[in-house]
Amino acid sequence: MFHGKEILAYSIETALESRLFHDVYVSSDSDEIGEVGVRYGAKYIGREYEEAQDHVGTQEVMKGCLKRMWSDYITHAACIYATAPMMTVADLKRAWDLLQRNPAAQYAFAVSADPFGPAGTFYFGRAQAFVRGAPLVAETSIMIPIHPERCCDINTDEDWTRAEAMYAALNNIKEPA
C-alpha cells in the first residue's frame, strides 16, 4: 500500500487517464497482482517463468508480452513501471509526441533531470523495437528529463520510504506524527 492504495494503481490510473493506449495491461507472474490491476481497469497478462526472474530487464519482458498479444495494429507500446506514482499524464503525452515527431526514434523514456539517472517510470517505444531487442539507450532514443522531485526509482525499502515522503510533499499530504 502506498498512501492508501496499491502502488500499481497509480501507474494504471495515469495510463488510462492519458487516453494514449487502446489497452493497459499488467504483466506479472502473480495472479494476485494481476487481480489488483484488473480492479483498477487494466487487463492481466501472465508472465512466462523466464520473464519473471530478477535478472530479466524491460526489453525481455516487453518482447514476451508483445509476442503473446501480437497484432498488426500494435505500433507503439509503453512499459510503465508499477512503482511510478509520481508519473504524470503530461510525461506520457510528451513521450508520445516526441516519438511521433521523430520517426527515427525507437524509444522515449524518462530520466532524472539531475544528473540524467534512471527515473524509474516508463519506456515508450515502437513495438518492433521492443520485439527486436533494440537497445533502450542509443542514438535513436529520446531522454525526457523529469524534475528530481518526481523521480524515485524504487528498488529498496529506503527508496520506498523516500518515494512516500516525496509523494506526500508533492501532494501536500500531512504525514502522521
Side-chain angles (χ1 to χ4, degrees), residues 86 91 94 110-114 119 121 144-152 162 166 170:
M86 292 169 281
D91 296 334
R94 185 170 175 210
V111 295
S112 175
D114 182 33
T121 52
I144 301 168
I146 305 296
H147 196 284
E149 289 178 358
R150 292 193 303 110
C151 291
C152 188
R162 188 170 139 251
M166 291 168 67
L170 286 171

Side-chain angles (χ1 to χ4, degrees), residues 2 7 83-86 119-120 152-157 159-160 163-164:
F2 188 92
I7 195 165
T83 54
M86 292 169 281
C152 188
D153 192 8
I154 302 173
N155 295 305
T156 66
D157 290 340
D159 294 340
W160 183 280
E164 285 184 315

Side-chain angles (χ1 to χ4, degrees), residues 112-127:
S112 175
D114 182 33
F116 289 108
T121 52
F122 67 87
Y123 291 88
F124 217 135
R126 301 189 193 285

